[in-house]
């Protein structure tokens, strides 16, 4: 299971950086340093998707390590191939839905004025500055979604490693530790 999760983690990590790198390299070599609206939406959605998927995969990997250390003999039963696939699929699904929420909240308003961002990366705050309508509710929804993802995955990781530490310290012999 660890290598299955590492494969998906590596994939998201490669895609995470590949979403931004091509535009950055083009901007370094060209005079025109603008990005189209559609390109900005796609880059933003891809970045949000892979960043969120990476966080969720880290939490899944921490849970897997907890099961492997806490119950080594039952590890392959608890974390079966089917469960691994479901955990990875759930990570991608939650990341996709979160990225949709981020993208809709960021690009859902009406734009006016000079619709240009002087950067190779489309981030929420510069894009929201270009929106003419009120962005307060969008900013709140984005903050809540980010907080749920960050705090949720952070808590799973923290609790997994606290339980791992507890399991290791609970063993009787130094050789077992």
């Amino acid at each position: 299971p660890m290598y299955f999760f590492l494969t998906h983690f590596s994939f998201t990590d490669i895609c995470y950086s590949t979403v931004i790198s091509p535009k950055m390299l083009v901007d370094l070599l060209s005079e025109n340093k603008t990005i189209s609206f559609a390109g900005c939406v796609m880059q933003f959605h891809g970045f949000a998707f892979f960043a969120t998927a990476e966080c969720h995969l880290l939490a899944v990997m921490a849970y897997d390590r907890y099961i492997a250390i806490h119950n080594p003999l039952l590890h392959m039963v608890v974390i079966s191939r089917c469960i691994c696939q479901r955990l990875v699929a759930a990570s991608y699904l939650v990341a996709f839905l979160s990225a949709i929420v981020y993208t809709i909240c960021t690009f859902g308003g009406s734009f006016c004025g000079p619709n240009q961002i002087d950067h190779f990366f489309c981030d929420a705050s510069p894009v929201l500055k270009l929106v003419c309508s009120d962005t307060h509710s969008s900013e709140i929804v984005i903050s809540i979604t980010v907080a749920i993802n960050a705090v949720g995955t952070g808590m799973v990781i923290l609790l997994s490693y606290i339980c791992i530490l507890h399991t290791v310290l609970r063993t009787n012999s130094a050789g077992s530790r």
Side-chain angles (χ1 to χ4, degrees):
M2 180 177 70
Y3 295 111
F4 180 74
F5 295 135
L6 279 174
T7 302
H8 285 276
F9 182 74
S10 298
F11 170 74
T12 57
D13 197 44
I14 288 169
C15 293
Y16 179 82
S17 55
T18 305
V19 168
I20 299 167
S21 300
K23 180 62 181 153
M24 180 186 69
L25 293 173
V26 167
D27 281 0
L28 289 173
L29 299 174
S30 71
E31 293 293 323
N32 184 11
K33 299 185 186 317
T34 60
I35 187 167
S36 67
F37 183 78
C40 187
V41 172
M42 294 303 294
Q43 185 191 63
F44 183 83
H45 179 74
F47 180 79
F49 170 71
F50 289 116
T52 308
E54 195 169 321
C55 290
H56 286 273
L57 286 171
L58 279 171
V60 166
M61 290 167 63
Y63 175 70
D64 172 60
R65 290 299 83 205
Y66 162 68
I67 296 296
I69 292 170
H70 182 71
N71 253 334
L73 298 177
L74 294 176
H75 179 248
M76 293 305 292
V77 174
V78 175
I79 307 290
S80 66
R81 183 111 176 116
C82 181
I83 295 297
C84 287
Q85 291 170 346
R86 287 180 182 174
L87 287 170
V88 168
S91 297
Y92 287 133
L93 179 64
V94 170
F96 180 76
L97 294 174
S98 295
I100 289 287
V101 169
Y102 300 145
T103 306
I104 288 172
C105 287
T106 304
F107 294 94
S110 58
F111 293 89
C112 59
N115 292 337
Q116 287 186 326
I117 299 172
D118 296 328
H119 208 271
F120 61 88
F121 173 62
C122 286
D123 197 16
S125 59
V127 172
L128 287 174
K129 289 179 184 172
L130 299 174
V131 176
C132 296
S133 55
D134 183 34
T135 60
H136 184 69
S137 60
S138 294
E139 291 170 357
I140 289 174
V141 171
I142 290 170
S143 298
I144 289 171
T145 310
V146 169
I148 289 171
N149 282 315
V151 172
T153 57
M155 289 302 292
V156 169
I157 293 168
L158 183 66
L159 289 174
S160 294
Y161 282 103
I162 287 172
C163 291
I164 288 171
L165 183 64
H166 178 67
T167 301
V168 169
L169 292 177
R170 197 179 61 186
T171 57
N172 295 331
S173 67
S176 296
R177 286 184 197 161

